[in-house]
Amino acid sequence: MKTLLLIDIQNDFLPGGALAVPEGDLIVPVVNDLMPQFDLIVATQDWHPADHGSFAANHPGRSVFEQIELEGMPQTLWPVHCVQNTGGALFAPGLNTRSIAKVFPKGMNARIDSYSGFFDNGHRAATGMSEWLKSRGVTELSVVGLATDYCVKFTVLDALQEGFRVRVIAKACRGVNLVPGDVDRALADMREAGAVIE
Ligand code: VGL
Ligand code: ZN
């Protein structure tokens, strides 16, 4: 079961969006072109309530990209993004969404962020994606999407921990690079954990 996992290919992560990933839009045609090679296509969708604790706007006196502690965990503060049922949370225009068999929303708990498509950042609650994939016989995942240094990275690390073999298709990923080099470090971290980067 060749499986393609699309991470957060949503309007707010494209140029012009609330949390724009440089060149995020460029991956859309690349991802569409990859789709015919796969038997199963699954997507994650960042899907926050408006009062989410990762939004700087919900912490008076704090700024975007600052680090705080949220429920005892380090948290980067982000612009308001991917709010449930807003245009910014929609999949990128032009993405072939008809081929997506199942969408796993994440980040709905206002008290904790969820970069990975499998678990929240505290590994407290699961999205159900691991069981869903395993019940369909999936053993290997090819991962694409946004952003390389956040949601792609943490999804890949969890996938490896969950026992999946993982391939990251770098030409169909882009990252934030809040600190220059973050994307390269994320790719190195994923490779070190056992992912094949191509
Ligand atoms: C993401 C930051 C906050 C991502 C989501 O999709 O990589 N990054 N929420
Ligand atoms: Zn988010």
Side-chain angles (χ1 to χ4, degrees), residues 7-8 13 19 46 48 78 81 106 113 115 146-147 150-152:
I7 305 299
D8 298 2
F13 298 123
L19 179 35
D46 215 30
H48 297 307
W78 301 108
H81 67 276
K106 63 183 178 65
D113 213 351
Y115 295 149
L146 308 170
Y150 292 95
C151 292
V152 171

Side-chain angles (χ1 to χ4, degrees), residues 8-197:
D8 298 2
I9 308 179
Q10 295 167 257
N11 283 332
D12 271 340
F13 298 123
L14 306 186
L19 179 35
V21 177
E23 299 185 345
D25 54 330
L26 299 188
I27 74 165
V28 173
V30 181
V31 171
N32 285 340
D33 286 349
L34 287 166
M35 287 180 173
Q37 300 174 30
F38 292 87
D39 309 307
L40 178 64
I41 301 172
V42 174
T44 66
Q45 189 171 27
D46 215 30
W47 193 248
H48 297 307
D51 66 346
H52 198 265
S54 75
F55 298 164
N58 292 327
H59 300 273
R62 300 287 187 168
S63 319
V64 161
F65 306 136
E66 228 181 279
Q67 298 283 335
I68 65 158
E69 211 173 88
L70 187 63
E71 308 262 305
M73 304 214 349
Q75 174 69 51
T76 301
L77 290 179
W78 301 108
V80 174
H81 67 276
C82 296
V83 173
Q84 295 168 7
N85 303 303
T86 65
L90 295 175
F91 288 121
L95 183 69
N96 176 10
T97 54
R98 285 158 296 137
S99 299
I100 300 173
K102 175 85 173 166
V103 176
F104 289 91
K106 63 183 178 65
M108 290 90 84
N109 180 346
R111 305 309 312 157
I112 192 161
D113 213 351
S114 194
Y115 295 149
S116 162
F118 291 96
F119 297 98
D120 64 54
N121 290 2
H123 269 240
R124 292 170 195 164
T127 60
M129 185 164 71
S130 189
E131 292 67 28
W132 192 93
L133 292 168
K134 286 173 182 170
S135 75
R136 278 156 185 80
V138 176
T139 57
E140 181 170 345
L141 297 170
S142 294
V143 182
V144 299
L146 308 170
T148 314
D149 36 359
Y150 292 95
C151 292
V152 171
K153 171 181 158 178
F154 287 98
T155 299
V156 165
L157 297 179
D158 278 348
L160 291 163
Q161 244 182 32
E162 286 295 299
F164 296 98
R165 281 183 296 153
V166 181
R167 190 168 73 111
V168 179
I169 306 175
K171 68 178 179 187
C173 298
R174 289 294 187 282
V176 181
N177 266 333
L178 264 190
V179 177
D182 276 357
V183 166
D184 289 339
R185 278 188 288 274
L187 292 170
D189 290 347
M190 291 186 269
R191 183 183 289 118
E192 206 167 302
V196 173
I197 314 291

